[in-house]
Every structure is written in C-alpha cells, then in structure tokens.
Amino acid sequence: MTKAYEKPDVSVDVVLLTLAEKGLKVALHRRAKEPYPGSLALPGGYIHADEDDSLEDAARRTLQDKTGLAPRYLEQLRTFAGPGRDPRGWSVAISYVALVPFEELAAVPSTVFEFYSVDDIPALAFDHSDQVRAAVERVRNKSSYSTLPCWLLPGKFTLTQLQHTYEAVFGESVTRATFRSRLGIKVGDVQTGEAVDEAGVLIATDDYQLGNQRPARLFRADKLGLFKRASW
Amino acid sequence: MTKAYEKPDVSVDVVLLTLAEKGLKVALHRRAKEPYPGSLALPGGYIHADEDDSLEDAARRTLQDKTGLAPRYLEQLRTFAGPGRDPRGWSVAISYVALVPFEELAAVPSTVFEFYSVDDIPALAFDHSDQVRAAVERVRNKSSYSTLPCWLLPGKFTLTQLQHTYEAVFGESVTRATFRSRLGIKVGDVQTGEAVDEAGVLIATDDYQLGNQRPARLFRADKLGLFKRASW
C-alpha cells in the first residue's frame, strides 16, 4: 500500500533516575554527534523495526547497548512529538522512566553518565528537560501513594534506608515515627517479620544488616504496593 | 543524513467516551478499508508531518475530518506499539481519550458511530480493545479524585445531573447526601452561589433549570479540580 505522507522519526528516550548524595539524580550523557554535539541529553535511540518486539524492548536495548544496564523498574511516561523538537524534522519520542539503584551504576564506565539533581537540571538537547520534569513529577506523585521508592534501593534494604529514600525523593526529612505512620508500618510487625506496610508488599527477609548499632532487618519488595491514600 | 533503519508507521487513535442511557459508552466506527474491513475500530489516522503541529493537533484533525467534533477534553493516554498490532508492519499508535457530552454528538451523522457500553466491548480491530480498557481505567481512576465527569456534561449542569454522571461513570448509585459528601459539596453554599466543592472548581452560574420541581441552579467547571483524596 503506497502512502502519500512522510513518516516521522520515532525514538525512545529514557529518564534514568537514581539516588546519590541524598538526592534524586538524573543520568545524562554528552552527545558526540549532530544534532547538538557536546550537549547533555537523555540516553535514547531510534526504534529498530527489525529487532525490537515492543517499545519497552527498544528502551531496554538502548540502555543495554549504551550502558549495560537492565533496570528492574521501567515505565512508559508519555510521548513527546512535533515538528520543532528535532532539527531533522517531525519526530516522535516515547519517553520512559527507569529507576536504578546507585550500586548498579557502579558497573557503568564513569565516562558514560553525568549525574544532575532533578531540581537543578542544566540545559538539555531536544525537549529532554521537559521529559525530566514530567518524569520527576510522575515519580514523586506515584511515590506519595505507593512503594515505588523501593526500586531505587538494592534488592534488600533496611527500613532506615527506605526512609532515607522517601526523604530524598521528596526532599523532606521526617522522624522515624512519622515515616512509619505514613507508610502504615507497625513496629511489632517488624519484629515478627510479617509484611508490615498498609499495602502489604514490604516483605521481611531473614537477613540483617550488621553495623555499629543493633542488627537491622532487611526487607524486599517484589511488586509495587499502592496505599489507599496519598500518605506523603 | 541517511538512516539505515525502517521507520514505523505512526498514527493517533482516539477513545471517544460519552454518556448515554445512564452508562459510559465508547464511539466506534466500522472500517471500510483494509486491513480489517467491516470491523469495528476507534477513530484515528496517520500523523501528517506537513500539516500537524503536535500529536494533539493530529488527534483533533482526525476527529474533525471524520466527525466534525472538537472535544473540550482531550488527554494523551498511552502509546501502543509493536510489530504485531497492524498487519502492515511495525506501528506506533499514540492513544488519546476524548470526553464528549452526548448532546454534541447530535451534530454527527448517525451513520458515523456506533456506541457500545465500555463494560461490554465487542471485538475490535488492531489493539483497540486494549486502548478502550486503558482509557476507561484512566477515566474511572481520575474521576475518583477529580471533577473530570463534568466534561461529559454540557457547559452548564445541575448538581443532580452531575451526580447521575458520576453514578454512570462508576456504575454505582448513591444517595444525594452521599454524593454531596464525597465531593465535599455543602448545601448552604449551593444557595449562596459560591464555589461549593472541596476543590473549588464548581462555579455556580446565575442560571436555573426549570422543570416540574423547584428551579435547580446550573453550575459550570472551567478547569479540572483535584480532590485531596480519592472520594469515590
């Protein structure tokens, strides 16, 4: 079937967020090629129709090729498009959000990414600043009523680490009691090792983190838990 | 710049929802052309790179061309894509949700659309059933904490009409007191004509609906109001 219209370019961009120095950071790389050589930008790439089985596949292939990363949390954000966002012509960018624990980024060569605070984003190529802002809004909103911040932590974490993660996402410090109340965590349950949060998805493991203070139980989360109401 | 990859087809599809016979309905048309001639499908069309300034423009142009409609509420839903959704090859469909008062559909020739209950969708072409399901989930979820259902009504409406609209969206009947409590509407405020809902976006007009009972004040909503918590 012959088509009279010109097809737009289609790419997938990934807003890769991590937690470093007590703040939410976005991973940016410096573009080598036209357009905007030398500019900071999100990792991304064109859809490969002969290779990709889905948009998520394309996002994962792009990250894998550029960084070796395979994020546990990857979510479609929104699609940005139009005649003005790329000087090469009408283009469509399907934007994804990835959450990656900072520990996993240690395997990525240090020349690949620069990390910037999401609240102080430099000028970026294309409409990538808009994508970062939309991603941060989505992550903060969703974190206010779910266990999303768990995906910024390694597979097992203490409740104190989880508290610091929520604090970093929202840029707000709270007492331990306030934190536990917001998540519906009951101290007694922590001791028995039952699922302790209101949404029932924080799972106590038999492992402990040892340190200067008394051993802290390690928890994990296998699926995203939704709270009945925004708690943050 | 030469590109080695093959570009996917890019279209915009619109899940057009309206309220009829006390239920939420989706507008479907019967395809005349390949692929899937004779099948029911969502209105939609390819991006015209020479004509469209944005994805929303493309969605509006498609609706305007096929139906003459210009919906007041149009929101990007999600992007569906892959090698299997269209027999013509790898394709990308950016899905939009439109809310249209049934009264506005009176201007559309009756041969254009068939209306089906969103809870009893027939087999549709492409992945359009998935798009309808995702749209209904989005609309019900958003209606539970916002004034979104106002956009299924004409510009001015009574509180009773608004109650019936919420009831139709959720498929649940409630008493007038329950409805007003959920939306934070205070009866005293209705009399004074102040904005009466918790979110402060229901605006009392000076107009009334006359009927068998005592005149009912007409309200309007200029912007989407968000409640502090899910109330439905």
Side-chain angles (χ1 to χ4, degrees):
Chain A
M1 189 175 163
T2 318
K3 293 185 194 79
Y5 71 96
E6 192 195 344
K7 296 184 187 184
D9 282 311
V10 184
S11 64
V12 170
D13 293 330
V14 182
V15 183
L16 198 162
L17 299 175
T18 193
L19 214 65
E21 294 159 16
K22 297 187 179 177
L24 202 54
K25 302 284 191 295
V26 59
L28 303 169
H29 76 100
R30 232 167 248 288
R31 291 182 58 82
K33 289 184 283 191
E34 292 284 349
Y36 308 121
S39 286
L40 286 165
L42 297 173
Y46 288 121
I47 299 275
H48 291 185
D50 55 339
E51 202 178 340
D52 302 322
D53 272 338
S54 65
L55 292 172
E56 190 175 314
D57 260 19
R60 289 192 178 280
R61 176 182 51 71
T62 296
L63 276 187
Q64 183 74 47
D65 290 354
K66 294 200 177 176
T67 68
L69 289 170
R72 280 201 303 147
Y73 192 87
L74 188 67
E75 177 191 350
Q76 191 186 114
L77 175 64
R78 210 173 86 197
T79 296
F80 295 76
R85 58 177 300 281
D86 187 321
R88 290 166 290 188
W90 225 103
S91 67
V92 175
I94 300 109
S95 187
Y96 275 79
V97 187
L99 301 186
V100 177
F102 192 70
E103 291 77 359
E104 287 182 26
L105 288 162
V108 180
S110 63
T111 51
V112 173
F113 284 133
E114 301 177 25
F115 295 91
Y116 287 84
S117 165
V118 296
D119 296 314
D120 193 16
I121 315 164
L124 303 184
F126 310 106
D127 51 10
H128 289 185
S129 306
D130 296 336
Q131 294 193 37
V132 174
R133 271 190 292 271
V136 171
E137 191 185 335
R138 167 80 60 93
V139 165
R140 285 192 171 137
N141 182 39
K142 207 160 183 169
S143 295
S144 77
Y145 63 84
S146 80
T147 54
L148 189 63
C150 294
W151 274 261
L152 289 163
L153 286 165
K156 293 178 182 179
F157 47 83
T158 66
L159 291 181
T160 302
Q161 287 173 322
L162 186 60
Q163 177 178 342
H164 290 161
T165 304
Y166 271 89
E167 288 174 338
V169 167
F170 291 106
E172 180 202 355
S173 291
V174 294
T175 67
R176 193 170 81 155
T178 299
F179 171 70
R180 294 194 171 185
S181 149
R182 285 188 183 177
L183 260 65
I185 292 172
K186 292 187 185 63
V187 175
D189 297 336
V190 176
Q191 303 308 326
T192 63
E194 309 254 314
V196 292
D197 61 307
E198 190 182 328
V201 295
L202 286 184
I203 301 159
T205 73
D206 290 333
D207 299 330
Y208 288 82
Q209 186 187 66
L210 305 176
N212 294 332
Q213 299 187 298
R214 66 174 181 173
R217 191 186 279 273
L218 290 166
F219 289 78
R220 64 185 167 83
D222 291 340
K223 61 182 176 72
L224 192 66
L226 303 179
F227 300 117
K228 291 187 193 78
R229 56 192 168 72
S231 62
W232 208 273
Chain B
M1 190 177 162
T2 317
K3 293 188 193 78
Y5 72 96
E6 192 195 345
K7 296 184 187 183
D9 282 311
V10 183
S11 64
V12 171
D13 293 330
V14 183
V15 183
L16 197 162
L17 300 174
T18 192
L19 214 63
E21 295 160 17
K22 297 186 179 177
L24 202 54
K25 302 283 191 295
V26 59
L28 302 169
H29 76 100
R30 233 168 247 289
R31 289 182 59 80
K33 289 185 282 188
E34 291 283 353
Y36 309 120
S39 287
L40 285 165
L42 297 172
Y46 289 120
I47 299 275
H48 292 184
D50 55 339
E51 204 178 337
D52 302 322
D53 272 339
S54 66
L55 292 173
E56 191 175 314
D57 260 19
R60 289 191 178 279
R61 177 182 49 73
T62 296
L63 276 187
Q64 183 74 48
D65 289 356
K66 295 199 176 177
T67 69
L69 289 169
R72 279 201 303 148
Y73 191 88
L74 189 66
E75 177 191 349
Q76 190 186 117
L77 176 63
R78 208 173 86 198
T79 295
F80 295 75
R85 57 177 302 280
D86 188 320
R88 289 166 291 188
W90 225 104
S91 67
V92 175
I94 300 107
S95 187
Y96 275 79
V97 188
L99 301 187
V100 177
F102 193 70
E103 290 77 0
E104 287 184 26
L105 288 162
V108 179
S110 62
T111 52
V112 173
F113 285 135
E114 301 177 27
F115 295 91
Y116 287 84
S117 164
V118 297
D119 295 314
D120 193 15
I121 315 163
L124 303 184
F126 310 107
D127 51 10
H128 289 184
S129 305
D130 296 336
Q131 294 192 37
V132 174
R133 271 190 293 273
V136 171
E137 190 186 334
R138 168 80 60 92
V139 166
R140 285 194 170 136
N141 181 39
K142 208 160 181 169
S143 295
S144 77
Y145 63 84
S146 81
T147 54
L148 188 62
C150 293
W151 274 261
L152 289 163
L153 287 166
K156 293 179 183 179
F157 47 82
T158 66
L159 291 182
T160 302
Q161 287 173 323
L162 186 60
Q163 177 178 340
H164 292 160
T165 304
Y166 271 89
E167 288 174 337
V169 167
F170 291 106
E172 181 201 353
S173 290
V174 294
T175 66
R176 193 170 83 156
T178 300
F179 171 71
R180 294 194 170 184
S181 148
R182 286 188 183 177
L183 259 67
I185 292 172
K186 292 186 185 64
V187 175
D189 295 339
V190 176
Q191 303 310 324
T192 63
E194 307 256 312
V196 292
D197 62 307
E198 190 182 327
V201 294
L202 286 184
I203 302 158
T205 72
D206 290 334
D207 300 329
Y208 289 82
Q209 188 188 63
L210 305 175
N212 293 332
Q213 300 188 298
R214 64 173 183 175
R217 190 185 279 274
L218 290 166
F219 290 78
R220 62 183 169 83
D222 292 340
K223 61 182 176 72
L224 192 66
L226 303 179
F227 301 115
K228 291 188 193 76
R229 58 191 167 73
S231 61
W232 208 273

